[in-house]
Amino acid sequence: MALKLFNTLSRSIQDFTPLDSTGKKVGMYCCGPTVYDFAHIGNWRTFVFGDLVRRTLEFNGYTVTHVMNITDVEDKIIKRVRENKTSLRELTGKYEAAFFEDLLALNCKMPHHTPHATEHIPEIISLIEKLIQRGIAYKAADGSVYFSIEKYRSCGCTYGQLLKLNFDEMRAGERVKSDEYAKESVADFALWKARVPDDGDVFWPSPWGEGRPGWHIECSAMSTKILGPSFDLHVGGEDLIFPHHEDEIAQSEGATGKPFVKHWLHGAHLLVEGKKMSKSLGNFFTLRDLLAKGFTGREIRYLLLTAHYRETFNFTLEGLQGARTALARIDECLGKLREVAGTSPKSKVQSPKPDDPMIQRFTQSLDDDLNISAAWAVVFEWVRETNKRIADNSLSAADAVAALTVWDKVDSVLGIGAPAEAEASAEIVVLLEARQAARKAKDFKRADAIRDELKSKGWVIEDTTKGPKLKKI
Ligand SMILES: [Zn+2]
């Protein structure tokens, strides 16, 4: 079975076939963060979903070029720069660094390209110029440049490809300058925003005067620069369908006359404790808030990956406890497998057999529009059976090595890896060092007392050939 994915363009599940004539290369663009604050757990659901798409494509043998832009100039950013009395670069630099730290904490693969809007002003200007030349964009009296929906439609192009829009309710000549607006106010949108006092020193020269780009044009300019006028996959949260993605299509197809993206994939919303996330309800979490509560990036990733991407997901702290238990079951099984495998050389088994039933069933689940619940069911059935075989002593060392190879292949998609080893706080590390010093001094009574203290704090010491290691109980 080939990989099938739901395409928002056709509102149906379709076979995924890349545009590349060899059928091997895939270009994928994910709308990246707007770096004015820490990304919240709803944002992270989308980014982890994007990571799952990339890993699934690679698992299927495709060579993926993964692009994720950094929106470092936009309405919300400028507002925050003004409020914080800081500079654009200082604000966006801080939150961009935090974003990549969080991305790694969730074990998401680094995109191959992370273009910045502020570094693509010439490309953005030339795209707007092209739209003006084609008569689809115009300069308004305030010096801003707008995209003309009417002109675009009169060229035979469709505005409203990802969702149905009611043009009868549109007021002719209406236009909107802010980056975010509702579909009830479908209107000409800003490509270039003329400089206003509130922009402070955030502006660039352009053929239309000083100003800055609109948010939507940034993505069209950066995606087509790196991936070409037409590419395979565009991923984002469903909240971006309108206006952001619809405007991306209009700008790109308006400028190039070519179909922009073949498959549009959108991830659904996330609720927290059954409600829309909001600071006033106390259910607003950044990744850092959850890490501070003692959960690991691995547990959060696991939980985010338990629901199908097109379903609204209710993220709860109880769910995170469940994630911890589920991961412990997998870890325990893998630990036992490693014991059985002993020193058997893993190099003999480079990759699992293609007809391995676990791999086959896992692949089938993912190929079915990323049916992750079915994929996890396959994993836990495998854990149960493997545990049974270990308990029966019917698993040889070679079998264990093969099973671990199967797991590695499956985990290349799930990305949950092994539990982190170095998450101990400074206090715990100091205790470990004190125990080492006591042992060196042959003060075994003190060494044992420290070991017990560590245990009471939830850590055990494993003495390995490379020295002692801390392990969370
Ligand atoms: Zn975008």
Side-chain angles (χ1 to χ4, degrees):
M1 190 173 92
L3 175 61
K4 288 178 193 294
L5 296 170
F6 185 87
N7 188 350
T8 316
L9 266 183
S10 65
R11 284 89 164 154
S12 64
I13 293 174
Q14 294 180 330
D15 280 349
F16 174 75
T17 45
L19 295 164
D20 168 48
S21 57
T22 66
K24 290 271 174 230
K25 290 184 202 155
V26 175
M28 164 175 158
Y29 186 87
C30 302
C31 286
T34 300
V35 281
Y36 71 109
D37 209 336
F38 297 113
H40 59 64
I41 197 66
N43 302 135
W44 285 115
R45 182 184 188 196
T46 306
F47 294 125
V48 169
F49 157 56
D51 184 63
L52 175 71
V53 173
R54 170 175 166 184
R55 286 170 179 265
T56 301
L57 289 165
E58 289 174 345
F59 182 80
N60 275 275
Y62 294 113
T63 306
V64 182
T65 303
H66 178 192
V67 182
M68 181 194 276
N69 70 300
I70 303 293
T71 299
D72 58 354
V73 57
E74 175 265 4
D75 292 350
K76 293 195 290 286
I77 296 178
I78 292 188
K79 187 165 172 260
R80 192 63 64 86
V81 166
R82 212 166 52 235
E83 286 166 357
N84 293 7
K85 296 187 174 56
T86 180
S87 71
L88 184 82
R89 197 163 286 272
E90 202 172 320
L91 181 88
T92 58
K94 175 183 166 185
Y95 290 111
E96 181 184 337
F99 174 79
F100 285 119
E101 273 174 36
D102 291 357
L103 193 73
L104 292 179
L106 288 169
N107 199 26
C108 291
K109 287 193 169 185
M110 269 300 275
H112 302 100
H113 301 268
T114 52
H116 293 72
T118 56
E119 289 166 9
H120 289 80
I121 302 294
E123 287 85 352
I124 291 168
I125 288 175
S126 91
L127 187 56
I128 298 172
E129 280 183 317
K130 217 176 267 174
L131 288 166
I132 292 176
Q133 278 162 22
R134 299 192 77 174
I136 305 171
Y138 61 92
K139 185 177 168 181
D142 70 344
S144 298
V145 179
Y146 289 88
F147 185 93
S148 166
I149 307 265
E150 195 195 328
K151 290 279 170 50
Y152 178 67
R153 293 182 75 209
S154 67
C155 297
C157 296
T158 307
Y159 186 76
Q161 296 190 25
L162 296 171
L163 81 172
K164 246 189 146 45
L165 293 167
N166 189 349
F167 289 95
D168 297 337
E169 288 171 9
M170 257 181 78
R171 265 178 289 184
E174 201 127 308
R175 59 175 79 110
V176 56
K177 197 172 176 186
S178 72
D179 287 329
E180 290 177 64
Y181 52 92
K183 66 174 182 292
E184 288 71 32
S185 58
V186 163
D188 291 0
F189 57 91
L191 300 170
W192 185 262
K193 303 182 185 197
R195 184 183 174 194
V196 291
D198 273 353
D199 289 345
D201 57 4
V202 182
F203 64 89
W204 288 264
S206 83
W208 319 287
E210 288 170 345
R212 61 181 173 95
W215 170 37
H216 316 300
I217 196 79
E218 297 175 7
C219 277
S220 286
M222 291 186 278
S223 61
T224 52
K225 183 196 173 188
I226 299 169
L227 296 170
S230 304
F231 57 91
D232 301 297
L233 273 174
H234 197 309
V235 178
E238 65 180 359
D239 52 322
L240 295 188
I241 292 178
F242 189 87
H244 187 56
H245 289 161
E246 199 59 52
D247 290 352
E248 275 191 46
I249 296 176
Q251 296 159 152
S252 309
E253 298 193 353
T256 67
K258 291 178 182 154
F260 178 43
V261 170
K262 197 171 174 193
H263 292 255
W264 283 88
L265 285 179
H266 289 102
H269 284 302
L270 176 134
L271 299 174
V272 178
E273 307 290 348
K275 294 200 173 72
K276 195 170 177 239
M277 233 189 320
S278 90
K279 284 185 178 157
S280 59
L281 285 176
N283 67 345
F284 185 98
F285 295 125
T286 64
L287 182 70
R288 281 143 200 258
D289 295 333
L290 295 168
L291 296 176
K293 286 184 184 296
F295 295 106
T296 63
R298 187 172 179 250
E299 287 159 358
I300 298 162
R301 179 184 174 91
Y302 172 85
L303 184 57
L304 290 174
L305 279 179
T306 50
H308 189 263
Y309 73 96
R310 286 194 288 121
E311 277 166 21
T312 302
F313 179 53
N314 185 21
F315 188 94
T316 63
L317 295 181
E318 201 185 317
L320 276 176
Q321 294 289 354
R324 183 168 289 176
T325 310
L327 287 170
R329 275 175 64 200
I330 295 174
D331 292 341
E332 196 194 347
C333 175
L334 295 175
K336 283 191 279 184
L337 274 177
R338 284 188 199 104
E339 269 174 38
V340 176
T343 51
S344 293
K346 207 174 168 186
S347 56
K348 275 191 190 163
V349 192
Q350 292 286 344
S351 55
K353 289 185 203 142
D355 62 349
D356 179 274
M358 153 84 152
I359 298 284
Q360 281 199 336
R361 291 177 53 218
F362 183 79
T363 310
Q364 274 167 14
S365 305
L366 285 173
D367 283 358
D368 178 16
D369 191 29
L370 308 174
N371 188 346
I372 196 77
S373 324
W376 282 117
V378 171
V379 167
F380 284 105
E381 198 185 316
W382 177 84
V383 166
R384 248 188 325 272
E385 276 172 16
T386 307
N387 282 338
K388 216 170 125 212
R389 288 176 70 193
I390 294 170
D392 292 351
N393 281 326
S394 62
L395 199 81
S396 69
D399 291 340
V401 170
L404 286 167
T405 317
V406 165
W407 170 255
D408 285 349
K409 182 80 181 157
V410 164
D411 194 46
S412 71
V413 178
L414 301 174
I416 57 169
E421 284 167 2
E423 282 178 89
S425 66
E427 180 206 358
I428 301 295
V429 175
V430 166
L431 279 173
L432 177 71
E433 283 165 3
R435 177 190 174 252
Q436 285 314 100
R439 279 178 55 151
K440 250 188 192 159
K442 298 204 186 301
D443 184 352
F444 296 112
K445 210 172 149 197
R446 175 156 166 72
D448 288 350
I450 295 173
R451 187 196 58 207
D452 292 344
E453 192 184 343
L454 278 167
K455 204 169 173 188
S456 73
K457 291 180 189 294
W459 293 86
V460 286
I461 299 168
E462 283 186 348
D463 288 304
T464 71
T465 48
K466 287 179 187 160
K469 270 191 175 172
L470 283 163
K471 202 178 148 199
K472 196 124 205 220
I473 299 170

